[in-house]
Amino acid sequence: MDKVKIGVVAPAARLEPATAERVTTLATAAFAGRAEVVFHPQCFLSAGHFAGDDNARAGAFLEFANDPGFTHVWFARGGYGSGRIVPSVLDGLTAAAKNKTYLGYSDGGFLLAAFYKKGFRVAHAPIPHDIRRIGGEAAVTRALAWMINGTREALEPSIDHVHPVVAFNLTILSMLVGTPWMPDLRGHVVMIEEVSEHLYAIDRLLAHVTSSDEIRLVAGLRLGRTSDVPDNDPPFGQTPEEIVRHWCGVSGIPFLGLADIGHDSGNKVVPFGR
Amino acid sequence: MDKVKIGVVAPAARLEPATAERVTTLATAAFAGRAEVVFHPQCFLSAGHFAGDDNARAGAFLEFANDPGFTHVWFARGGYGSGRIVPSVLDGLTAAAKNKTYLGYSDGGFLLAAFYKKGFRVAHAPIPHDIRRIGGEAAVTRALAWMINGTREALEPSIDHVHPVVAFNLTILSMLVGTPWMPDLRGHVVMIEEVSEHLYAIDRLLAHVTSSDEIRLVAGLRLGRTSDVPDNDPPFGQTPEEIVRHWCGVSGIPFLGLADIGHDSGNKVVPFGR
């Protein structure tokens, strides 16, 4: 088997150099000699909210995506910013970009969606910045184990390899509805998760997503974790699961149960498709 | 001229009875004998986040919308909840519902959009709950003056009666993209405003809205006020106007300047259409 060579770029927020060092140390200790993790210096740039301006982020992304030496492109961190570079990244891809796997989640869903639509291999997966979480080394190790060994235990356990699957942060999925980057999700199991949103906003996002005629063609929804939910004033009166069940009922989309994904160190890998 | 009879319902959050009394007192003092304002008792119900459950809110809405005695239906308050009742309200409308004008803004935009799509008369306008703002009596008086006297000074000043116009809270416009409730906005001047959203979220909402092929057919965007913007960490690096100009540039949508609307007592009336 060819050696795994993982290129890390930051399409959204910047990474601290010390975080990159921790990930490199962990990868060396756990998978010595079997993989190389290369952090693009763009990861450490800073321009307002972002890890460098749009040109810098798109340029670094394309440099690694178009480099035939990399087997994987791993998104350093979420936050916000991936959506801003989708058009220029899509415009700059060459043939070598298709022969690798792209991994990220949260804000990175903008790129995962657009790349999946193009027929590229993409996966919702823990990212380097997750090492800063409590228990975060397990999350990063899980992503690396899947990239390096194809470890099945890294996968979200409901994946049956029969139904195609995708996983998205709910806000990002909502921001994709009605745009050219939304892949055809007919027949897919769609896993959603959310962080730092009020319950009323989660309800509103589900109202949006489940009202889309395209989304109504999915095989069903699975709910991942909703974490750091700010207090609703007044109390919303429904749990996240009750909210999802409500909108599944209204829209006729089957509710399939929970999903083992979220903004936490337990977050599992979901390769898009079958 | 027939007497103006305004029915107030609460499709989203509940109104305090004292707020209704203040509006009634103001309407009587300023427009004595020329208008009647009737608050549906549903305005004062409470069910979790909402002014009564979905059935109660949709039922009260339809009761007033289908009553030929009302010339206007005025949304008591925004918050969140209008989007939940759009399908059942649309299903229950009778012929009498078309012969009146519907007024609201913010969360009420879900209903304004769906009703405008049906060819009903709707307007973005101050609402009863606005009387609680500093200077709020002026806002409520402005909406009443437009309903009762057709006062032109109440209108958003850029309206030229040549280009059709609409006005939306940016989040609500985003939640309409790709749904069956989105009206055809080809050739429209689209005014947007926002409240209590981070700059990164405003940028993300504009990424979404301006990436829609349907929205790219509008005549242009105008930016109303963005108020109560929480601190961005790190600083976002662009002002709201710069953000709108950025996305107008990316999408080819003309940026037409500012709009005199927002979550404040200066908020002007924008009747949808010409």
Side-chain angles (χ1 to χ4, degrees):
Chain A
M1 194 173 84
D2 286 345
K3 185 170 161 182
V4 168
K5 189 174 174 190
I6 302 163
V8 183
V9 293
R14 81 182 285 271
L15 204 64
E16 291 289 335
T19 307
E21 281 169 35
R22 285 184 62 188
V23 172
T24 302
T25 302
L26 182 150
T28 305
F31 305 94
R34 305 189 40 215
E36 186 183 353
V37 181
V38 181
F39 286 83
H40 196 292
Q42 171 268 326
C43 294
F44 316 118
L45 294 180
S46 179
H49 199 85
F50 309 111
D53 65 18
D54 291 354
N55 287 336
R57 302 198 314 289
F61 194 102
L62 286 168
E63 188 185 325
F64 276 16
N66 291 333
D67 182 339
F70 288 108
T71 56
H72 298 78
V73 173
W74 199 14
F75 307 166
R77 187 176 172 187
Y80 171 65
S82 304
R84 288 177 67 109
I85 62 169
V86 168
S88 51
V89 164
L90 291 180
D91 280 351
L93 295 171
T94 63
K98 194 160 182 178
N99 197 27
K100 49 178 61 75
T101 304
Y102 298 82
L103 298 95
Y105 75 106
S106 192
D107 183 71
F110 280 113
L111 285 158
L112 299 182
F115 276 45
Y116 183 56
K117 184 169 186 174
K118 282 183 76 70
F120 283 40
R121 291 194 305 272
V122 306
H124 163 107
I127 51 182
H129 193 67
D130 284 323
I131 204 166
R132 298 165 60 112
R133 298 185 187 279
I134 296 167
E137 295 203 345
V140 171
T141 303
R142 187 178 308 121
L144 288 167
W146 185 74
M147 286 188 264
I148 297 164
N149 299 325
T151 307
R152 290 180 69 95
E153 290 69 33
L155 297 181
E156 201 285 334
S158 73
I159 295 174
D160 63 6
H161 304 285
V162 176
H163 297 89
V165 293
V166 292
F168 285 107
N169 174 267
L170 175 59
T171 295
I172 304 304
L173 182 60
S174 166
M175 297 294 104
L176 287 163
V177 168
T179 73
W181 332 123
M182 176 66 97
D184 183 352
L185 297 182
R186 256 177 293 196
H188 284 65
V189 174
V190 179
M191 304 185 194
I192 52 175
E193 56 84 33
E194 193 48 278
V195 64
S196 305
E197 293 288 347
H198 289 88
L199 289 178
Y200 83 84
I202 291 173
D203 192 87
R204 189 167 61 190
L205 291 163
L206 279 157
H208 179 223
V209 166
T210 63
S211 294
S212 153
D213 286 340
E214 282 178 274
I215 296 288
R216 289 190 176 191
L217 302 174
V218 304
L221 286 185
R222 280 190 175 273
L223 175 63
R225 288 175 287 281
T226 50
S227 49
D228 292 330
V229 177
D231 281 346
N232 212 81
D233 179 24
F236 189 72
Q238 290 190 44
T239 66
E241 184 176 333
E242 286 168 343
I243 292 171
V244 176
R245 285 182 182 276
H246 169 81
W247 287 107
C248 282
V250 169
S251 62
I253 297 171
F255 177 67
L256 303 174
L258 301 182
D260 191 8
I261 61 168
H263 273 68
D264 53 47
S265 55
N267 188 28
K268 299 298 188 297
V269 177
V270 182
F272 284 23
R274 275 194 188 84
Chain B
M1 193 172 84
D2 286 344
K3 186 170 159 182
V4 168
K5 188 173 173 191
I6 301 162
V8 182
V9 293
R14 82 182 285 270
L15 204 64
E16 290 290 336
T19 307
E21 281 169 34
R22 285 183 62 188
V23 171
T24 302
T25 302
L26 182 150
T28 306
F31 304 94
R34 306 190 39 215
E36 186 183 354
V37 181
V38 181
F39 287 84
H40 196 291
Q42 172 269 327
C43 294
F44 315 119
L45 294 180
S46 180
H49 200 85
F50 308 111
D53 65 19
D54 292 354
N55 288 336
R57 301 198 315 286
F61 194 101
L62 286 168
E63 188 185 325
F64 276 16
N66 291 333
D67 182 339
F70 288 109
T71 56
H72 298 78
V73 173
W74 200 13
F75 307 166
R77 189 176 170 187
Y80 171 64
S82 305
R84 288 178 67 109
I85 63 169
V86 168
S88 51
V89 164
L90 291 180
D91 280 351
L93 295 170
T94 64
K98 194 160 181 177
N99 197 27
K100 49 179 60 75
T101 304
Y102 298 81
L103 298 95
Y105 74 106
S106 191
D107 183 71
F110 281 113
L111 285 158
L112 299 182
F115 276 45
Y116 182 57
K117 185 170 185 175
K118 283 182 74 71
F120 283 40
R121 292 194 304 273
V122 306
H124 163 108
I127 50 181
H129 193 67
D130 283 323
I131 204 166
R132 297 164 61 112
R133 298 186 187 279
I134 295 167
E137 296 203 344
V140 171
T141 302
R142 186 179 308 121
L144 288 167
W146 185 73
M147 286 190 264
I148 297 165
N149 299 326
T151 307
R152 290 181 69 95
E153 290 70 32
L155 297 180
E156 201 284 334
S158 73
I159 295 173
D160 63 7
H161 304 284
V162 176
H163 297 88
V165 294
V166 293
F168 285 107
N169 174 267
L170 175 60
T171 296
I172 304 304
L173 182 61
S174 165
M175 297 294 104
L176 287 163
V177 168
T179 74
W181 331 125
M182 175 66 97
D184 183 351
L185 297 182
R186 255 177 293 196
H188 284 64
V189 175
V190 178
M191 304 184 194
I192 52 174
E193 57 84 31
E194 193 49 277
V195 64
S196 304
E197 293 288 347
H198 289 88
L199 289 178
Y200 84 84
I202 290 174
D203 192 87
R204 189 169 61 189
L205 290 163
L206 279 157
H208 179 223
V209 165
T210 63
S211 294
S212 153
D213 286 339
E214 284 178 273
I215 295 288
R216 289 190 177 191
L217 302 174
V218 304
L221 286 185
R222 280 190 176 273
L223 175 62
R225 287 175 288 280
T226 50
S227 49
D228 292 331
V229 177
D231 281 346
N232 211 81
D233 178 25
F236 189 72
Q238 289 190 43
T239 66
E241 183 175 333
E242 286 168 342
I243 292 171
V244 176
R245 286 182 181 276
H246 170 81
W247 287 107
C248 282
V250 169
S251 61
I253 296 172
F255 177 68
L256 303 174
L258 302 181
D260 191 7
I261 60 169
H263 273 68
D264 53 46
S265 54
N267 187 28
K268 299 298 189 294
V269 176
V270 182
F272 284 24
R274 271 194 193 87

